[in-house]
Every structure is written in C-alpha cells, then in structure tokens.
Amino acid sequence: MAWWKAWIEQEGVTVKSSSHFNPDPDAETLYKAMKGIGVGSQLLSHQAAVFTFPSSTLTTVSPWGGHSRCIPAGTNEQAIIDVLTKRNNAQRQQIAKSFKAQFGKDLTETLKSELSGKFERLIVALMYLPYRYEAKELHDAMKGSRDDVSSFVDPGLALQDAQDLYAAGEKIRGTDEMKFITILCTRSATHLLRVKCTRNLHSYFAERLYYAMKGAGTRDGTLIRNIVSRSEIDLNLIKCHFKKMYGKTLSSMIMEDTSGDYKNALLSLVGSDP
C-alpha cells in the first residue's frame, strides 16, 4: 500500500512543486521586485546620466532645471510572495542558483537587505534547506533565543517513552500506573511535549499553532517555524485537526492575529480552508 501512503502524504502538502517550472524567469521576477532600492541617491549624484526604469516608479522634480527624475517606488513584496510561497523548497534552491548566476548576488542575503521584521523572518526561513533550518532552530533553542521556552530533547527517548506509555495504557486491560508515574514525574515539560507529538502528530502541531496566536501577542517564531516546516509535509492534515479542535480555521486565526505582507505570505503558505 505504498501508493496509498504516498497519496495521503501528498494530500497533506500545502506547498507543492510548480508545474512547468523554470527558475530563470522566477529569479528575474525577484530581481525586478527588489532592484532599485537606494538608486535614488545615485540619480541625484549623476546629473548627466539618463536612466530608464519600469513603470512602477515615482516621478520627482529635479532641483536642476526642473527636469523630472524617476526614482524606484520600492520593493514589490507581493511579487516575492507570489514566487517564493508557490514553489517548494527544491525549486526555491534552483531559483537561488539562477539568481546568483544571472545577477551575481546571493538571493537570501538580498532578501535580508530588502525586507524587514516578521515578513523578512518568514521569507528567509523559506530559503533554508530543510535540514539547515531545523539545525538553526535547534541551535537557537539551545541559546535560548526562541520565543517559546525550549531545550534539547532526545528524540529516541521520546519515541521510547511514547511506546512505553502506549504499552502501559491503551495496549493492555487496565493501566500500568507505575510506568505512567515514572515517565510523567521524571521527564522535563519539553520532553513530554515531544512525547505527545510522537503519539498524535497532527493534533500536537495544531495545538502549537493555536497557542502561538491565542491571547495577547503572537509567538511569531513558533508560528513561522511550524508553518514553514510542515507546509511540504502535512499542513493540510494539521489544518483539519485545528478546525476540529478549536472550531475555527487556521487561516481565519492568522487573519485575525497578523497583518500586512507577513499575513499574506502566511496565508499563501497555509492555502485554502479544509
């Protein structure tokens, strides 16, 4: 039944590969979306030069003889969202290579220089290779820089504890109370969260996303990390559990709790409601 497992996994994905993909025009779109920032000062310092810019520009009056100058209007954030949230990670890596080959610049560093705030944090997260992103998040967690209290957890031990709890409870008639007491009283809170994740993966992530937005303020690191890391794995399935558990859709809560380009990018990654 490998085909069934593959179908289920594909159904869980919200960010899929783009059909008829070509990284070159995507790289060019991103370049055009970001180029020109800071060019205005160059225009003013080169009075005799003649420049031609695309239509998305602002026209100003020159202090020299009243001639108009075209100064770029700024970064086209929506173009960046349209490209990077609609390509899977493998395709984003190809776009980055094309960007470097065509324009001689590192795409991730260029994005960092042009964007800011939570929107920058989300878009840059999309550009990491998955294993590098997980390593970075683990490194940040051990430094204590993540916005939710966390510490290192041995995944092997978490899996073993999950299996032991199942064997001590659901698998037998009655309950092996000593096994439950031993695990629940001697493991850290973070470890127990991982055990819960191991036993009910989609409910765990639904809960993490909900509490990242519930109440005053938003734990943006948690929100970004879970949406980015699960968008190419099982985010559709997590969305279904989210709706069952909390009576509202993940996208509706994102709309209530976030704003601007950050909100638009998150919604694009999450996709349509279940």
Side-chain angles (χ1 to χ4, degrees), residues 118 147-148 205-227 235 238-239 242-243 246 248-259 262-263 266-267 270 273:
K118 293 173 284 189
D147 57 5
D148 55 333
F205 283 113
E207 183 179 68
R208 298 294 288 154
L209 288 166
Y210 178 76
Y211 284 103
M213 294 181 282
K214 185 179 183 295
T218 303
R219 292 185 173 184
D220 294 291
T222 301
L223 185 60
I224 291 169
R225 180 170 58 257
N226 285 284
I227 287 179
L235 188 52
I238 293 167
K239 284 156 52 180
F242 190 99
K243 188 174 182 179
Y246 303 111
K248 60 171 63 179
T249 64
L250 176 58
S251 60
S252 68
M253 200 162 181
I254 289 172
M255 291 183 70
E256 294 170 2
D257 214 61
T258 63
S259 61
Y262 176 50
K263 176 189 73 175
L266 286 171
L267 291 174
V270 166
D273 290 332

Side-chain angles (χ1 to χ4, degrees), residues 135 137-145 150-152:
E137 291 297 298
L138 179 60
H139 179 262
D140 290 348
M142 290 188 288
K143 287 199 308 181
S145 62
S150 185
S151 60
F152 176 75

Side-chain angles (χ1 to χ4, degrees), residues 37-269:
I37 301 301
V39 172
S41 60
Q42 296 176 12
L43 290 175
L44 297 179
S45 63
H46 295 82
Q47 303 174 29
V50 177
F51 294 89
T52 302
F53 290 96
S55 58
S56 60
T57 57
L58 299 177
T59 301
T60 61
V61 177
S62 169
W64 303 284
H67 297 292
S68 63
R69 310 271 176 177
C70 291
I71 298 179
T75 304
N76 185 344
E77 288 86 355
Q78 189 59 51
I80 295 171
I81 293 170
D82 291 341
V83 171
L84 295 181
T85 66
K86 299 302 183 184
R87 311 290 186 269
N88 66 10
N89 190 272
Q91 291 177 336
R92 287 183 218 123
Q93 303 309 318
Q94 292 183 56
I95 293 169
K97 290 180 180 178
S98 177
F99 192 91
K100 179 71 172 180
Q102 290 189 68
F103 309 111
K105 296 182 178 181
D106 182 89
L107 177 55
T108 300
E109 293 304 316
T110 304
L111 288 165
K112 288 179 181 179
S113 69
E114 303 292 353
L115 308 179
S116 62
K118 293 173 284 189
F119 181 55
E120 175 201 345
R121 186 175 181 179
L122 173 60
I123 294 298
V124 169
L126 291 172
M127 296 308 303
Y128 278 92
L129 286 165
Y131 74 90
R132 289 186 180 274
Y133 184 59
E134 294 295 334
K136 171 189 172 296
E137 291 297 298
L138 179 60
H139 179 262
D140 290 348
M142 290 188 288
K143 287 199 308 181
S145 62
R146 264 167 54 166
D147 57 5
D148 55 333
V149 178
S150 185
S151 60
F152 176 75
V153 174
D154 180 349
L157 181 59
L159 177 60
Q160 183 62 55
D161 281 349
Q163 293 171 342
D164 288 346
L165 288 173
Y166 174 74
E170 298 175 32
K171 194 176 179 180
I172 63 174
R173 301 184 75 180
T175 302
D176 183 348
E177 294 183 357
M178 284 307 299
K179 178 62 69 175
F180 272 83
I181 291 171
T182 298
I183 292 174
L184 296 179
C185 294
T186 61
R187 305 292 192 252
S188 69
T190 306
H191 178 93
L192 293 175
L193 280 174
R194 177 60 68 88
V195 172
K196 181 178 180 181
C197 166
T198 304
R199 300 193 66 204
N200 194 336
L201 186 68
H202 302 125
S203 295
Y204 168 80
F205 283 113
E207 183 179 68
R208 298 294 288 154
L209 288 166
Y210 178 76
Y211 284 103
M213 294 181 282
K214 185 179 183 295
T218 303
R219 292 185 173 184
D220 294 291
T222 301
L223 185 60
I224 291 169
R225 180 170 58 257
N226 285 284
I227 287 179
V228 169
S229 65
R230 308 311 297 186
S231 62
E232 295 183 43
I233 301 174
D234 56 1
L235 188 52
N236 269 333
L237 302 177
I238 293 167
K239 284 156 52 180
C240 292
H241 281 261
F242 190 99
K243 188 174 182 179
K244 288 178 183 177
M245 292 167 67
Y246 303 111
K248 60 171 63 179
T249 64
L250 176 58
S251 60
S252 68
M253 200 162 181
I254 289 172
M255 291 183 70
E256 294 170 2
D257 214 61
T258 63
S259 61
D261 297 312
Y262 176 50
K263 176 189 73 175
N264 294 337
L266 286 171
L267 291 174
S268 184
L269 291 168

